[in-house]
């Protein structure tokens, strides 16, 4: 009689697959380190343990040496680095324990830099009013000086990126909390002999430079880069980089998700770095996703091709643009170049100028796209309407509706008056756009009877309730239905 089979008789690959099902029920972690791999960080820097040593993964690792070896890659898939002495110390621990090879996603959280020479006096004055806030900023200011003076960030990032042999994503985030807000409030109320300020531009530029240098010196390929608040001045720094270096960097990207953020007008800065986009995009032949944009409430007024240079990416599956004043022909040209492969299209905070019409863009999306599965239209309008309304009264110009942190209830799908009976057919959509599954077959069937002229586009303004109608109409295309049956 055959002996009973036990779990340790299974191959390592099968045990790892079983482990993946165990981990599906565990909440994802925002932070991973050798000493704190299942904890989430709160703004003040303290940690709250989600499971500690009682999580399924931790218990699995305690079974035996073999299970520990199999589960180690699941334990350290992400690493979050904060720009601080403690953050870089944790990174050194990861490297010393030879665990960096398991990291697939690396997030670098950087604070605005302390700029100006009057900080000692300012922090001394803050101490008399709020000792805790003063101590927090003294520590951060000392950390900044220590890290930059010693070049510890450059050295350790180079070492780390080279050691991240499984790396697939790099994310650069701007970190700002309540302690920063309280300090900024104090600075606004006080006068200083020397100007002092928290400046994101030098912090972002240094981070971009060190990450790019580290990536070029590593063997990492197929990288997704995410930067939701990139300073446009950091792109100016890249304009001093040789074209060959930029091309090498672009060739390693599979996804680029960048939003430029500045309180100033970015138009002139972006125009001056057109060549940087050309060199990077020309060599980025492996791009499957591009999300590129600017602050939706301060859209830039530059040509789309000043950035995209009439290039085509054969593997591109997702395209999203944000915060732009454009002609309809520019958008149509970019979409048509990728009509055979695009599956997701996003247009956010885009305002048409020079007499363009949204119905022309919608017609192309509806009638010419071969693979489209998801459409995202938010805060789209006409430039003339944007200019005629103040930011306080015009919801389309408000940044709150496009913030990644905002949760705005979706409106009910509203068709033209003679189709008003369709309203109840539409469930609330997700914030990531509409898919064909978002709508019932009855709704899609009735929408197919509409033409672009029935969509209520008057060429002057776009109402909020029209966004979902237009998404649904695009997805109701007979081309999509034919492809689904094949």
């Amino acid at each position: 009689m055959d002996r009973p089979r036990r779990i340790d008789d299974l191959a390592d690959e099968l045990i790892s697959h079983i482990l993946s099902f165990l981990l599906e029920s565990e909440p994802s972690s925002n932070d991973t380190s050798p000493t704190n791999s299942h904890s989430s960080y709160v703004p003040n820097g303290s940690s709250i343990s989600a499971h500690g040593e009682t999580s399924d993964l931790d218990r699995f690792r305690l079974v035996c040496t073999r299970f520990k070896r199999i589960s180690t890659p699941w334990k350290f898939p992400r690493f979050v680095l904060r720009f601080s002495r403690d953050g870089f110390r944790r990174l050194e621990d990861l490297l010393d324990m030879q665990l960096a090879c398991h990291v697939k996603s690396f997030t670098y959280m950087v604070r605005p830099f302390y700029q100006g020479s009057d900080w000692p006096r300012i922090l001394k004055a803050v101490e008399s009013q709020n000792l805790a806030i003063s101590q927090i900023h003294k520590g951060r200011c000392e950390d900044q000086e220590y890290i930059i003076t010693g070049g510890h960030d450059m050295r350790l990032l180079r070492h780390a990126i080279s050691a991240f042999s499984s790396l697939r994503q790099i994310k650069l985030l701007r970190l700002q909390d309540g302690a920063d807000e309280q300090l900024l409030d104090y600075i606004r109320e006080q006068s200083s002999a020397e100007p002092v300020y928290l400046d994101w531009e030098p912090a972002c530029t240094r981070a971009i430079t060190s990450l790019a240098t580290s990536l070029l010196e590593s063997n990492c390929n197929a990288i997704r880069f995410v930067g939701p608040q990139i300073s446009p001045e950091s792109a100016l720094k890249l304009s001093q980089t040789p074209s060959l270096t930029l091309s090498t960097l672009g060739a390693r990207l599979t996804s680029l998700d960048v939003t430029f953020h500045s309180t100033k007008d970015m138009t002139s800065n972006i125009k001056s770095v057109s060549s940087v986009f050309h060199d990077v995009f020309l060599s980025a032949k492996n791009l499957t996703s591009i999300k590129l944009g600017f602050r939706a409430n301060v859209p830039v007024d530059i040509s789309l091709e000043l950035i995209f240079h009439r290039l085509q990416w054969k593997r591109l599956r997702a395209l999203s643009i944000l915060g732009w004043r454009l002609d309809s022909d520019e958008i149509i040209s970019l979409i048509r170049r990728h009509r055979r492969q695009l599956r997701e299209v996003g247009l956010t905070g885009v305002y048409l100028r020079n007499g363009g019409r949204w119905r022309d863009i919608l017609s192309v999306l509806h009638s010419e796209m071969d693979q489209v599965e998801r459409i995202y239209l938010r805060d789209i309008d006409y430039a003339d309407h944007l200019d005629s309304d103040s930011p306080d009264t015009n919801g389309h110009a408000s940044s709150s509706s496009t913030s990644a942190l905002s949760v705005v209830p979706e409106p009910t799908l509203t068709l033209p008056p003679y189709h008003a009976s369709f309203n109840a057919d539409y469930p609330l959509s997700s914030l990531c756009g509409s898919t064909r599954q978002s709508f019932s077959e009855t709704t899609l069937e009735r929408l197919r009877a509409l033409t672009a002229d029935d969509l209520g586009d008057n060429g002057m303004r776009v109402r909020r309730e029209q966004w979902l109608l237009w998404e649904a109409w695009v997805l109701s295309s007979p081309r999509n239905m034919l492809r689904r049956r094949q």
Side-chain angles (χ1 to χ4, degrees):
M1 183 180 294
D2 292 339
R3 66 181 178 86
R5 310 301 293 180
R6 300 182 303 177
I7 191 171
D8 57 359
D9 292 325
L10 301 177
D12 288 1
E13 294 80 3
L14 191 52
I15 294 176
S16 180
H17 188 60
I18 293 172
L19 180 61
S20 69
F21 287 95
L22 289 176
L23 298 179
E24 282 183 358
S25 61
E26 290 196 357
S28 61
S29 169
N30 294 324
D31 187 28
T32 304
S33 75
T35 57
N36 187 24
S37 59
H38 279 272
S39 65
S40 301
Y41 274 83
V42 292
N44 64 7
S46 62
S47 61
I48 301 175
S49 177
H51 283 281
E53 296 302 317
T54 63
S55 69
D56 288 337
L57 179 58
D58 286 321
R59 286 191 292 230
F60 187 90
R61 286 167 54 81
L62 292 174
V63 172
C64 63
T65 302
R66 183 187 177 211
F67 281 16
K68 181 177 181 180
R69 172 175 53 80
I70 294 171
S71 61
T72 294
W74 294 93
K75 182 76 171 176
F76 304 100
R78 299 171 296 277
F79 190 87
V80 179
L81 170 65
R82 294 188 177 220
F83 187 90
S84 65
R85 269 188 277 199
D86 181 62
F88 282 104
R89 192 178 302 116
R90 289 178 50 250
L91 180 58
E92 282 189 291
D93 291 341
L94 184 83
L95 296 170
D96 290 343
M97 296 175 69
Q98 299 182 349
L99 296 169
C101 61
H102 303 300
V103 174
K104 296 181 180 180
S105 176
F106 174 62
T107 300
Y108 190 22
M109 303 180 72
V110 182
R111 296 184 179 281
F113 280 177
Y114 295 85
Q115 299 288 94
S117 58
D118 207 22
W119 277 109
R121 187 190 68 81
I122 291 292
L123 294 180
K124 185 67 175 177
V126 172
E127 184 177 330
S128 62
Q129 299 185 18
N130 193 320
L131 178 60
I133 294 297
S134 177
Q135 289 178 334
I136 288 173
H137 286 287
K138 281 182 179 178
R140 291 175 182 174
C141 198
E142 291 170 359
D143 279 4
Q144 175 185 311
E145 183 177 1
Y146 170 81
I147 292 168
I148 293 178
T149 303
H152 298 292
D153 53 341
M154 298 283 193
R155 175 179 60 84
L156 284 169
L157 283 172
R158 283 176 167 176
H159 187 186
I161 300 296
S162 294
F164 292 158
S165 55
S166 302
L167 189 65
R168 289 294 175 265
Q169 176 175 285
I170 295 176
K171 183 182 292 186
L172 173 61
L173 299 181
R174 173 175 174 167
L175 185 60
Q176 191 162 323
D177 58 14
D180 293 329
E181 295 298 331
Q182 292 184 57
L183 180 64
L184 290 172
D185 288 341
Y186 179 84
I187 293 174
R188 294 186 194 103
E189 295 171 358
Q190 304 296 321
S191 59
S192 176
E194 297 290 336
V196 294
Y197 45 96
L198 295 176
D199 196 347
W200 171 236
E201 185 276 318
C204 183
T205 298
R206 187 176 180 91
I208 289 286
T209 302
S210 14
L211 288 173
T213 301
S214 302
L215 186 58
L216 287 170
E217 293 179 356
S218 74
N219 294 320
C220 294
N221 290 294
I223 298 297
R224 300 186 297 268
F225 180 79
V226 181
Q229 282 189 304
I230 298 298
S231 164
E233 288 81 6
S234 63
L236 286 173
K237 182 72 173 180
L238 289 178
S239 65
Q240 304 169 15
T241 305
S243 295
L244 181 60
T245 302
L246 291 173
S247 298
T248 304
L249 189 62
R252 303 194 180 196
L253 298 175
T254 59
S255 174
L256 187 65
D257 182 348
V258 170
T259 302
F260 290 96
H261 189 276
S262 176
T263 56
K264 307 172 185 175
D265 179 30
M266 292 180 274
T267 300
S268 60
N269 281 345
I270 296 302
K271 284 182 177 179
S272 64
V273 294
S274 175
S275 61
V276 173
F277 287 106
H278 176 269
D279 293 338
V280 171
F281 279 149
L282 183 63
S283 62
K285 301 185 183 299
N286 297 317
L287 280 174
T288 60
S289 174
I290 297 176
K291 181 179 180 181
L292 187 62
F294 309 89
R295 291 179 61 191
N297 59 335
V298 190
V300 296
D301 194 355
I302 60 175
S303 167
L304 200 61
E305 299 302 348
L306 195 66
I307 303 297
F308 292 103
H309 297 277
R310 304 193 181 280
L311 295 170
Q312 181 180 7
W313 296 272
K314 294 182 179 181
R315 300 183 181 182
L316 195 65
R317 298 295 181 267
L319 173 66
S320 179
I321 57 176
L322 162 71
W324 236 304
R325 293 172 180 258
L326 296 169
D327 294 342
S328 57
D329 290 344
E330 297 180 80
I331 302 174
I332 291 172
S333 176
L334 180 60
I335 290 174
R336 277 181 170 157
R337 290 204 301 272
H338 302 91
R339 70 178 184 86
R340 296 190 183 279
Q341 68 264 37
L342 274 181
R343 291 186 171 89
E344 299 183 19
V345 177
L347 302 171
T348 304
V350 175
Y351 303 89
L352 296 189
R353 61 190 181 194
N354 299 335
R357 297 294 292 269
W358 275 107
R359 68 184 181 189
D360 297 331
I361 298 171
L362 296 171
S363 293
V364 173
L365 290 171
H366 177 270
S367 304
E368 299 184 25
M369 304 298 288
D370 288 348
Q371 304 282 338
V372 65
E373 297 174 354
R374 186 184 298 275
I375 296 291
Y376 186 77
L377 305 174
R378 293 297 181 275
D379 296 301
I380 58 174
D381 206 341
Y382 288 94
D384 288 345
H385 182 235
L386 174 72
D387 295 336
S388 66
D389 268 332
S390 68
D392 292 331
T393 59
N394 177 21
H396 299 80
S398 171
S399 62
S400 63
S401 60
T402 57
S403 169
L405 299 179
S406 300
V407 180
V408 182
E410 297 294 346
T412 302
L413 176 60
T414 304
L415 300 177
Y418 43 87
H419 293 288
S421 60
F422 296 173
N423 291 359
D425 226 357
Y426 179 71
L428 295 184
S429 175
S430 64
L431 288 177
C432 56
S434 296
T435 66
R436 286 188 299 276
Q437 289 70 33
S438 304
F439 309 92
S440 71
E441 287 299 326
T442 302
T443 295
L444 294 175
E445 185 66 34
R446 294 179 180 179
L447 284 168
R448 284 183 208 110
L450 301 181
T451 67
D453 293 332
D454 298 324
L455 298 179
D457 177 22
N458 60 16
M460 295 181 289
R461 66 169 295 188
V462 179
R463 299 186 308 276
R464 184 184 182 90
E465 58 267 22
Q466 289 178 291
W467 303 339
L468 291 178
L469 164 65
W470 292 358
E471 290 176 358
W473 183 75
V474 169
L475 295 169
S476 73
S477 168
R479 295 173 65 91
N480 289 330
M481 298 307 297
L482 178 63
R483 188 171 64 82
R484 288 179 68 186
R485 294 191 183 103
Q486 290 176 343

